[in-house]
C-alpha cells in the first residue's frame, strides 16, 4: 500500500515508494463519527477506495461498526485513539482520584474490547492542566503505569501524544523534551510506552523536526498536519494544508520527512486533518493526499 513517486537524476528515471506506513485519523477527517456512526460506512468506503492509506486511527466503535471495518479495512493497520474521550472528560491526569480511576478503568475495559479485534496499538494524551501541576503529573504517571501494565498482558503498545500547554488545549504534557524524559522513566518498567509527536502541535509549542533528533529511540508515531492562525491566536484545529490560516505546507512537511528519514525512523505517519467551514471530508482528504505526495517528491529530489 502507500504510493510511489517518480524522479529524475542525470537523465535516469527513478521510482521511490513512500517508506513509512501512511495513516489517517478517521474521527478528525469525519468529525461526525465522534457523535454517531451514521457516516462510518461512507468514510471507510472512501478511505479504502485506493491503496494510499495503510492505517486507520479510530475512536470508540460499536460491534456493528466494527463489522464495517472488517468489510472495508481488513488489510489495514488499525489503531485505537483515546484522545477524544480524554479531552472530553476521561481525565487520566485528574488529581481527583475517583475521576482518575474511572478514566483508567474505562481505557482498560476498551483495550480488552479492541485486542479481541486484533488491535494492539493505543494512543493517549494527558488531561487538562490543574492548579497543582505536579499533582497532575503524578496522577498521569500512575495512570500510565496501570494502563501500560494492562496493555502488556496482550503485547499491546501505548503512544503518549504531546499537546500545547498554554495556547489552546493546555494539557499537562507538552514540550517533547519533558515528555520524552517522562516516557523514559516509565519505560524503565514498561517498555511498551512510546512517544507520539504531532506536526500540527509544533507551532503551539515552538518545536521543529530538529526537536525529534534526540528521541528517535522512543518515537512510536508521527502525526502530520497544520495548526491554525486565528484572530484569537494559534489553535489546534487541524485544517488541511492551504486552508486560510493553516500553518505548515508541503515544504514544511518535506523537511519533516527528510529529518525522519535521516534519523532512521520506521514507525507510522498519520495525517490528522479536519474539514473547516464549507469543506467536505472527501475534499480535505484528497487535498491532504496531494500534499503528502508533493512533499515526498520534494524530499526525494533534495536527496538524489
Amino acid at each position: 500500500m502507500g504510493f510511489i513517486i517518480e524522479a529524475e537524476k542525470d537523465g535516469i528515471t527513478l521510482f521511490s515508494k513512500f517508506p513509512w506506513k501512511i495513516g489517517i485519523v478517521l474521527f478528525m477527517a469525519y468529525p461526525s463519527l465522534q457523535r454517531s456512526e451514521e457516516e462510518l460506512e461512507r468514510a471507510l468506503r472512501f478511505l479504502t477506495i485506493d491503496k494510499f492509506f495503510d492505517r486507520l486511527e479510530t475512536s470508540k466503535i460499536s460491534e456493528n461498526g466494527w463489522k464495517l471495518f472488517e468489510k472495508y479495512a481488513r488489510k489495514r493497520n488499525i489503531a485505537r485513539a483515546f484522545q477524544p474521550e480524554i479531552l472530553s472528560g476521561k481525565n487520566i491526569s485528574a488529581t481527583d482520584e475517583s475521576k482518575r480511576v474511572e478514566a483508567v478503568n474505562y481505557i482498560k475495559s476498551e483495550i480488552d474490547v479492541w485486542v479481541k479485534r486484533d488491535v494492539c496499538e493505543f494512543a493517549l494524551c494527558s488531561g487538562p492542566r490543574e492548579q497543582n501541576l505536579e499533582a497532575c503529573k503524578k496522577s498521569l504517571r500512575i495512570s500510565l503505569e496501570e494502563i501500560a501494565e494492562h496493555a502488556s498482558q496482550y503485547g499491546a503498545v501505548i503512544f503518549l501524544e504531546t499537546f500545547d500547554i498554554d495556547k489552546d488545549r493546555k494539557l499537562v504534557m507538552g514540550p517533547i523534551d519533558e515528555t520524552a524524559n517522562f516516557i523514559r522513566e516509565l519505560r524503565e518498567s514498561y517498555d511498551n510506552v512510546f512517544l507520539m509527536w504531532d506536526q500540527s502541535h509544533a507551532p503551539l509549542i515552538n518545536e521543529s523536526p530538529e526537536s525529534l533528533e534526540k528521541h528517535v529511540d522512543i518515537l512510536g508515531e508521527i502525526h502530520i498536519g497544520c495548526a491554525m492562525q486565528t484572530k484569537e491566536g494559534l489553535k489546534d484545529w487541524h485544517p488541511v494544508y492551504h486552508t486560510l490560516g493553516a500553518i505548515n505546507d508541503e515544504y514544511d512537511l518535506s523537511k519533516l520527512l527528510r529529518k525522519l528519514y535521516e534519523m532512521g525512523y520506521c514507525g507510522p505517519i498519520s495525517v490528522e486533518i479536519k474539514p473547516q467551514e464549507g469543506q467536505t471530508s472527501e475534499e480535505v482528504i484528497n487535498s491532504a493526499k496531494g500534499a503528502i505526495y508533493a512533499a515526498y517528491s520534494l524530499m526525494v529530489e533534495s536527496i538524489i
Side-chain angles (χ1 to χ4, degrees), residues 33-96:
L33 295 179
Q34 296 187 45
R35 302 184 297 274
S36 78
E37 296 179 1
E38 187 175 339
E39 289 191 305
L40 181 58
E41 185 163 21
R42 167 192 161 191
L44 292 174
R45 185 188 297 117
F46 186 77
L47 290 170
T48 58
I49 198 171
D50 58 22
K51 298 184 182 298
F52 190 92
F53 292 113
D54 303 274
R55 174 183 177 88
L56 302 176
E57 297 182 27
T58 181
S59 52
K60 187 178 179 70
I61 295 293
S62 69
E63 287 302 318
N64 286 336
W66 182 245
K67 291 177 182 177
L68 294 174
F69 274 83
E70 293 179 319
K71 177 180 179 180
Y72 290 102
R74 278 184 297 177
K75 296 182 179 180
R76 265 72 175 184
N77 173 227
I78 308 297
R80 168 68 160 97
F82 288 102
Q83 293 95 323
E85 289 106 319
I86 294 172
L87 293 173
S88 62
K90 300 292 186 185
N91 185 2
I92 61 174
S93 54
T95 56
D96 182 320

Coordinates of all heavy atoms in Angstrom, one line a residue, residues 33-96:
L33 N -18.2 11.3 13.4 CA -18.0 10.0 14.0 C -17.8 10.0 15.5 O -17.9 9.0 16.1 CB -16.9 9.3 13.3 CG -17.1 8.9 11.8 CD1 -15.8 8.2 11.2 CD2 -18.3 8.0 11.6
Q34 N -17.5 11.2 16.0 CA -17.4 11.4 17.4 C -18.7 11.5 18.1 O -18.8 11.4 19.3 CB -16.5 12.6 17.7 CG -15.1 12.5 17.2 CD -14.2 13.7 17.7 OE1 -14.3 14.1 18.9 NE2 -13.5 14.2 16.8
R35 N -19.8 11.6 17.3 CA -21.2 11.7 17.8 C -22.0 10.4 17.5 O -22.8 10.0 18.3 CB -21.9 12.9 17.3 CG -21.1 14.2 17.7 CD -21.9 15.4 17.2 NE -22.1 15.5 15.8 CZ -21.2 16.0 15.0 NH1 -20.1 16.5 15.4 NH2 -21.4 16.0 13.7
S36 N -21.8 9.9 16.3 CA -22.6 8.8 15.8 C -21.8 8.0 14.7 O -20.8 8.5 14.2 CB -24.0 9.2 15.3 OG -23.8 9.7 14.0
E37 N -22.3 6.8 14.4 CA -21.6 6.1 13.3 C -22.4 6.1 12.0 O -22.1 5.3 11.1 CB -21.5 4.6 13.8 CG -20.6 4.5 15.0 CD -20.5 3.0 15.5 OE1 -21.1 2.1 14.9 OE2 -19.8 2.8 16.5
E38 N -23.2 7.1 11.9 CA -24.0 7.3 10.7 C -23.2 7.4 9.4 O -23.6 6.8 8.4 CB -25.0 8.5 10.8 CG -26.0 8.6 9.7 CD -26.9 9.8 9.9 OE1 -27.1 10.2 11.0 OE2 -27.5 10.2 8.9
E39 N -22.1 8.1 9.5 CA -21.2 8.2 8.3 C -20.1 7.2 8.2 O -19.2 7.4 7.4 CB -20.6 9.7 8.3 CG -21.6 10.7 8.0 CD -20.9 12.1 7.7 OE1 -20.2 12.5 8.5 OE2 -21.2 12.6 6.6
L40 N -20.0 6.2 9.1 CA -18.9 5.3 9.1 C -18.7 4.6 7.8 O -17.6 4.5 7.3 CB -19.1 4.4 10.3 CG -17.9 3.4 10.5 CD1 -16.6 4.1 10.7 CD2 -18.2 2.4 11.7
E41 N -19.8 4.0 7.3 CA -19.6 3.3 6.0 C -19.1 4.2 4.9 O -18.2 3.8 4.1 CB -20.9 2.5 5.6 CG -20.7 1.7 4.4 CD -21.8 0.6 4.2 OE1 -22.9 0.8 4.8 OE2 -21.6 -0.4 3.6
R42 N -19.7 5.4 4.8 CA -19.3 6.3 3.8 C -17.8 6.6 4.0 O -17.0 6.6 3.0 CB -20.0 7.6 3.9 CG -19.5 8.8 3.2 CD -20.2 10.1 3.6 NE -19.4 11.3 3.2 CZ -19.6 12.5 3.7 NH1 -20.7 12.7 4.5 NH2 -18.9 13.5 3.3
A43 N -17.3 6.8 5.2 CA -15.9 7.1 5.5 C -15.0 6.0 5.1 O -14.0 6.1 4.4 CB -15.7 7.5 6.9
L44 N -15.3 4.8 5.5 CA -14.5 3.6 5.2 C -14.5 3.3 3.7 O -13.4 2.9 3.2 CB -15.0 2.4 6.0 CG -14.8 2.5 7.5 CD1 -15.4 1.3 8.2 CD2 -13.3 2.6 7.9
R45 N -15.6 3.4 3.1 CA -15.6 3.2 1.7 C -14.7 4.1 0.9 O -13.9 3.7 0.0 CB -17.0 3.3 1.1 CG -17.2 2.9 -0.4 CD -18.5 3.3 -0.9 NE -19.6 2.5 -0.3 CZ -20.6 3.0 0.4 NH1 -20.6 4.3 0.6 NH2 -21.5 2.2 1.0
F46 N -14.7 5.4 1.3 CA -13.9 6.4 0.6 C -12.4 6.2 0.9 O -11.6 6.3 0.0 CB -14.3 7.8 1.0 CG -13.6 8.9 0.2 CD1 -14.0 9.1 -1.1 CD2 -12.6 9.6 0.7 CE1 -13.4 10.1 -1.9 CE2 -12.0 10.6 0.0 CZ -12.3 10.8 -1.4
L47 N -12.1 6.0 2.2 CA -10.7 5.9 2.6 C -10.0 4.6 2.0 O -8.8 4.5 2.0 CB -10.6 5.9 4.1 CG -10.9 7.3 4.7 CD1 -11.0 7.2 6.2 CD2 -9.9 8.3 4.3
T48 N -10.8 3.6 1.7 CA -10.2 2.4 1.1 C -10.5 2.3 -0.4 O -10.3 1.2 -0.9 CB -10.8 1.2 1.9 OG1 -12.2 1.1 1.7 CG2 -10.4 1.2 3.3
I49 N -10.8 3.4 -1.0 CA -11.1 3.4 -2.4 C -9.9 3.1 -3.3 O -9.9 2.5 -4.4 CB -11.8 4.7 -2.9 CG1 -12.4 4.6 -4.2 CG2 -10.7 5.8 -2.9 CD1 -13.3 5.8 -4.6
D50 N -8.7 3.4 -2.7 CA -7.4 3.0 -3.3 C -6.5 2.5 -2.2 O -7.0 2.3 -1.0 CB -6.8 4.2 -4.0 CG -6.6 5.4 -3.1 OD1 -6.5 5.2 -1.8 OD2 -6.5 6.6 -3.6
K51 N -5.2 2.3 -2.5 CA -4.3 1.7 -1.5 C -3.4 2.8 -0.9 O -2.4 2.4 -0.3 CB -3.5 0.7 -2.2 CG -4.3 -0.5 -2.7 CD -3.4 -1.6 -3.3 CE -4.3 -2.7 -3.9 NZ -5.1 -3.4 -2.9
F52 N -3.8 4.0 -0.8 CA -3.0 5.1 -0.3 C -2.8 4.9 1.2 O -1.6 5.0 1.7 CB -3.6 6.5 -0.6 CG -2.7 7.6 -0.3 CD1 -1.9 8.2 -1.3 CD2 -2.7 8.2 0.9 CE1 -1.1 9.2 -1.0 CE2 -1.9 9.3 1.2 CZ -1.1 9.8 0.2
F53 N -3.8 4.7 1.9 CA -3.7 4.6 3.4 C -3.5 3.2 3.9 O -4.4 2.3 3.6 CB -5.0 5.2 4.1 CG -5.1 6.7 3.9 CD1 -6.1 7.2 3.1 CD2 -4.1 7.6 4.4 CE1 -6.2 8.6 3.0 CE2 -4.2 8.9 4.3 CZ -5.3 9.5 3.5
D54 N -2.5 3.0 4.6 CA -2.2 1.6 5.2 C -2.9 1.5 6.6 O -3.1 0.4 7.1 CB -0.7 1.5 5.5 CG 0.2 1.6 4.3 OD1 0.4 0.6 3.6 OD2 0.7 2.7 4.0
R55 N -3.2 2.7 7.2 CA -3.5 2.7 8.6 C -4.7 3.6 8.9 O -4.8 4.7 8.3 CB -2.3 3.2 9.4 CG -2.4 3.4 10.9 CD -1.1 4.0 11.4 NE -1.1 4.3 12.8 CZ -0.9 3.5 13.8 NH1 -0.5 2.2 13.5 NH2 -0.9 3.9 15.0
L56 N -5.6 3.2 9.8 CA -6.7 4.0 10.2 C -6.7 4.1 11.7 O -6.6 3.1 12.4 CB -8.1 3.4 9.7 CG -8.2 3.1 8.2 CD1 -9.6 2.4 7.9 CD2 -8.2 4.4 7.4
E57 N -6.8 5.3 12.2 CA -6.9 5.5 13.6 C -8.3 6.0 14.0 O -8.8 6.9 13.5 CB -5.9 6.6 14.1 CG -4.4 6.2 13.8 CD -3.4 7.2 14.2 OE1 -3.7 8.0 15.2 OE2 -2.3 7.3 13.6
T58 N -8.9 5.2 14.9 CA -10.3 5.4 15.1 C -10.6 5.6 16.6 O -9.8 5.2 17.5 CB -11.1 4.2 14.6 OG1 -12.5 4.4 14.9 CG2 -10.7 2.9 15.4
S59 N -11.7 6.2 16.9 CA -12.2 6.3 18.3 C -13.1 5.1 18.6 O -13.1 4.1 17.9 CB -12.9 7.7 18.5 OG -13.9 7.8 17.5
K60 N -13.9 5.2 19.6 CA -14.8 4.1 20.0 C -15.7 3.7 18.9 O -16.4 4.6 18.2 CB -15.6 4.6 21.2 CG -16.5 3.5 21.9 CD -17.2 4.0 23.1 CE -18.1 3.0 23.7 NZ -17.3 2.0 24.4
I61 N -15.9 2.4 18.7 CA -16.7 1.8 17.6 C -17.5 0.7 18.2 O -17.0 -0.2 18.9 CB -15.8 1.3 16.4 CG1 -15.1 2.5 15.7 CG2 -16.6 0.6 15.4 CD1 -16.0 3.5 15.0
S62 N -18.8 0.6 17.8 CA -19.6 -0.4 18.3 C -19.3 -1.7 17.6 O -18.6 -1.8 16.6 CB -21.1 -0.1 18.0 OG -21.4 0.0 16.6
E63 N -19.9 -2.8 18.0 CA -19.8 -4.1 17.3 C -20.3 -4.0 15.9 O -19.7 -4.6 15.0 CB -20.4 -5.2 18.1 CG -19.7 -5.6 19.4 CD -18.3 -6.1 19.1 OE1 -18.0 -6.8 18.2 OE2 -17.4 -5.6 19.9
N64 N -21.4 -3.4 15.7 CA -21.9 -3.2 14.3 C -21.0 -2.4 13.5 O -20.8 -2.7 12.3 CB -23.3 -2.6 14.3 CG -24.4 -3.5 14.8 OD1 -24.2 -4.8 14.7 ND2 -25.5 -3.0 15.3
G65 N -20.4 -1.3 14.1 CA -19.5 -0.5 13.3 C -18.2 -1.3 13.0 O -17.6 -1.2 11.9
W66 N -17.8 -2.2 13.9 CA -16.6 -3.0 13.7 C -16.8 -3.9 12.5 O -15.9 -4.2 11.7 CB -16.2 -3.8 14.9 CG -14.9 -4.6 14.7 CD1 -14.8 -5.9 14.7 CD2 -13.6 -4.1 14.4 NE1 -13.5 -6.3 14.4 CE2 -12.8 -5.2 14.2 CE3 -13.1 -2.8 14.3 CZ2 -11.4 -5.0 13.9 CZ3 -11.8 -2.6 14.0 CH2 -10.9 -3.7 13.8
K67 N -18.0 -4.4 12.3 CA -18.3 -5.2 11.1 C -18.0 -4.5 9.8 O -17.6 -5.1 8.8 CB -19.7 -5.7 11.1 CG -20.0 -6.7 12.3 CD -21.5 -7.1 12.3 CE -21.8 -8.0 13.5 NZ -23.2 -8.4 13.6
L68 N -18.2 -3.2 9.8 CA -17.9 -2.4 8.6 C -16.4 -2.3 8.4 O -15.9 -2.3 7.3 CB -18.5 -1.0 8.8 CG -20.0 -0.9 8.7 CD1 -20.5 0.5 9.0 CD2 -20.5 -1.4 7.4
F69 N -15.6 -2.2 9.5 CA -14.1 -2.2 9.4 C -13.7 -3.6 8.8 O -12.8 -3.6 7.9 CB -13.5 -2.1 10.8 CG -13.3 -0.7 11.2 CD1 -14.3 0.1 11.8 CD2 -12.0 0.0 11.0 CE1 -14.1 1.4 12.2 CE2 -11.8 1.3 11.4 CZ -12.9 2.0 12.0
E70 N -14.3 -4.7 9.2 CA -14.0 -6.0 8.7 C -14.3 -6.1 7.2 O -13.6 -6.7 6.4 CB -14.7 -7.1 9.5 CG -14.2 -7.2 10.9 CD -14.9 -8.3 11.7 OE1 -16.2 -8.4 11.5 OE2 -14.3 -9.0 12.5
K71 N -15.4 -5.4 6.8 CA -15.8 -5.4 5.4 C -14.9 -4.6 4.5 O -14.5 -5.0 3.4 CB -17.2 -4.8 5.3 CG -17.7 -4.8 3.9 CD -19.2 -4.2 3.8 CE -19.7 -4.1 2.4 NZ -21.1 -3.6 2.4
Y72 N -14.5 -3.4 5.0 CA -13.7 -2.5 4.1 C -12.2 -2.4 4.4 O -11.5 -2.0 3.5 CB -14.3 -1.0 4.2 CG -15.7 -0.9 3.6 CD1 -16.8 -0.9 4.4 CD2 -15.8 -0.8 2.3 CE1 -18.1 -0.7 3.9 CE2 -17.1 -0.6 1.7 CZ -18.2 -0.6 2.5 OH -19.5 -0.5 2.0
A73 N -11.8 -2.7 5.6 CA -10.4 -2.3 6.0 C -9.7 -3.5 6.6 O -8.8 -3.4 7.5 CB -10.5 -1.2 7.0
R74 N -10.0 -4.7 6.2 CA -9.4 -5.9 6.8 C -7.9 -5.9 6.6 O -7.1 -6.5 7.4 CB -10.0 -7.2 6.1 CG -11.3 -7.6 6.7 CD -11.8 -8.9 6.1 NE -12.0 -8.8 4.7 CZ -12.4 -9.8 3.9 NH1 -12.5 -11.0 4.5 NH2 -12.6 -9.6 2.7
K75 N -7.4 -5.3 5.5 CA -5.9 -5.4 5.3 C -5.2 -4.1 5.8 O -4.0 -4.0 5.5 CB -5.7 -5.5 3.8 CG -6.2 -6.9 3.2 CD -5.9 -7.0 1.7 CE -6.4 -8.4 1.2 NZ -6.1 -8.5 -0.3
R76 N -5.9 -3.3 6.5 CA -5.3 -2.1 7.0 C -4.9 -2.3 8.5 O -5.5 -3.1 9.2 CB -6.3 -0.9 7.0 CG -6.1 0.0 5.7 CD -6.6 -0.6 4.5 NE -6.5 0.3 3.3 CZ -7.0 0.1 2.1 NH1 -7.5 -1.1 1.9 NH2 -6.8 1.0 1.2
N77 N -3.9 -1.5 8.9 CA -3.5 -1.5 10.3 C -4.5 -0.6 11.0 O -4.7 0.6 10.5 CB -2.0 -0.9 10.3 CG -1.6 -0.7 11.8 OD1 -1.0 0.4 12.0 ND2 -1.8 -1.6 12.7
I78 N -5.0 -1.0 12.1 CA -6.0 -0.2 12.8 C -5.4 0.1 14.2 O -4.8 -0.7 14.9 CB -7.3 -1.0 13.0 CG1 -7.8 -1.5 11.7 CG2 -8.3 -0.1 13.7 CD1 -8.2 -0.5 10.7
A79 N -5.6 1.4 14.6 CA -5.2 1.8 16.0 C -6.4 2.4 16.7 O -7.2 3.1 16.0 CB -4.0 2.8 15.9
R80 N -6.4 2.3 18.0 CA -7.5 2.9 18.8 C -7.0 4.1 19.5 O -6.0 4.1 20.2 CB -8.0 1.9 19.8 CG -9.0 2.4 20.8 CD -10.3 2.9 20.3 NE -11.3 3.0 21.3 CZ -11.7 4.1 22.0 NH1 -11.0 5.2 21.7 NH2 -12.6 4.0 22.9
A81 N -7.6 5.3 19.2 CA -7.2 6.5 19.8 C -8.2 6.9 20.9 O -9.4 7.0 20.7 CB -7.2 7.6 18.8
F82 N -7.6 7.3 22.1 CA -8.4 7.7 23.2 C -8.4 9.2 23.5 O -9.1 9.7 24.4 CB -7.9 7.0 24.5 CG -8.2 5.5 24.6 CD1 -7.2 4.6 24.3 CD2 -9.5 5.1 24.9 CE1 -7.5 3.2 24.3 CE2 -9.8 3.7 25.0 CZ -8.8 2.8 24.7
Q83 N -7.8 9.9 22.6 CA -7.7 11.4 22.8 C -9.1 12.0 22.9 O -9.3 12.9 23.8 CB -6.9 12.1 21.7 CG -5.4 11.7 21.8 CD -5.0 10.6 20.8 OE1 -5.8 9.6 20.7 NE2 -3.9 10.7 20.2
P84 N -10.1 11.7 22.0 CA -11.4 12.3 22.1 C -12.0 12.1 23.5 O -12.6 13.1 24.0 CB -12.2 11.6 21.0 CG -11.2 11.2 20.0 CD -10.0 10.8 20.9
E85 N -11.9 10.9 24.1 CA -12.5 10.7 25.4 C -11.8 11.5 26.5 O -12.4 12.0 27.4 CB -12.6 9.2 25.7 CG -13.6 8.4 24.9 CD -12.9 7.6 23.8 OE1 -11.9 8.1 23.2 OE2 -13.3 6.4 23.6
I86 N -10.5 11.5 26.4 CA -9.7 12.1 27.4 C -9.9 13.6 27.4 O -10.1 14.3 28.5 CB -8.2 11.8 27.3 CG1 -7.9 10.4 27.5 CG2 -7.3 12.7 28.2 CD1 -6.5 9.9 27.2
L87 N -10.0 14.2 26.2 CA -10.2 15.6 26.1 C -11.7 16.0 26.5 O -11.9 17.2 26.7 CB -9.9 16.1 24.6 CG -8.4 16.0 24.2 CD1 -8.3 16.3 22.7 CD2 -7.6 16.9 25.1
S88 N -12.6 15.1 26.5 CA -14.0 15.4 26.8 C -14.3 14.9 28.2 O -15.5 14.9 28.6 CB -14.9 14.8 25.8 OG -14.8 13.4 25.8
G89 N -13.3 14.5 29.0 CA -13.6 14.2 30.4 C -13.0 13.0 31.0 O -12.9 12.9 32.3
K90 N -12.6 12.0 30.3 CA -12.0 10.8 30.8 C -10.5 11.2 31.2 O -9.6 10.8 30.5 CB -12.1 9.6 29.9 CG -13.5 9.2 29.5 CD -14.2 8.6 30.7 CE -15.6 8.1 30.2 NZ -16.4 7.6 31.3
N91 N -10.3 11.9 32.2 CA -9.0 12.5 32.5 C -8.1 11.6 33.3 O -8.2 11.5 34.5 CB -9.3 13.8 33.3 CG -8.1 14.6 33.5 OD1 -7.0 14.3 33.1 ND2 -8.2 15.8 34.2
I92 N -7.1 11.1 32.6 CA -6.1 10.2 33.3 C -5.1 10.9 34.1 O -4.3 10.3 34.8 CB -5.4 9.3 32.3 CG1 -4.6 10.1 31.2 CG2 -6.5 8.4 31.6 CD1 -3.8 9.2 30.3
S93 N -5.1 12.3 34.1 CA -4.2 13.0 34.9 C -4.9 13.8 36.0 O -4.4 14.7 36.6 CB -3.3 14.0 34.1 OG -4.1 14.8 33.2
A94 N -6.2 13.5 36.2 CA -7.0 14.2 37.2 C -6.4 14.0 38.6 O -6.0 12.9 39.0 CB -8.4 13.7 37.1
T95 N -6.4 15.1 39.4 CA -6.0 15.0 40.8 C -7.1 14.4 41.7 O -6.8 14.0 42.8 CB -5.5 16.4 41.3 OG1 -6.6 17.3 41.1 CG2 -4.3 16.9 40.5
D96 N -8.3 14.4 41.2 CA -9.4 13.8 41.9 C -9.3 12.3 41.6 O -9.5 11.8 40.5 CB -10.8 14.3 41.3 CG -12.0 13.7 42.1 OD1 -11.9 12.5 42.4 OD2 -12.9 14.4 42.3

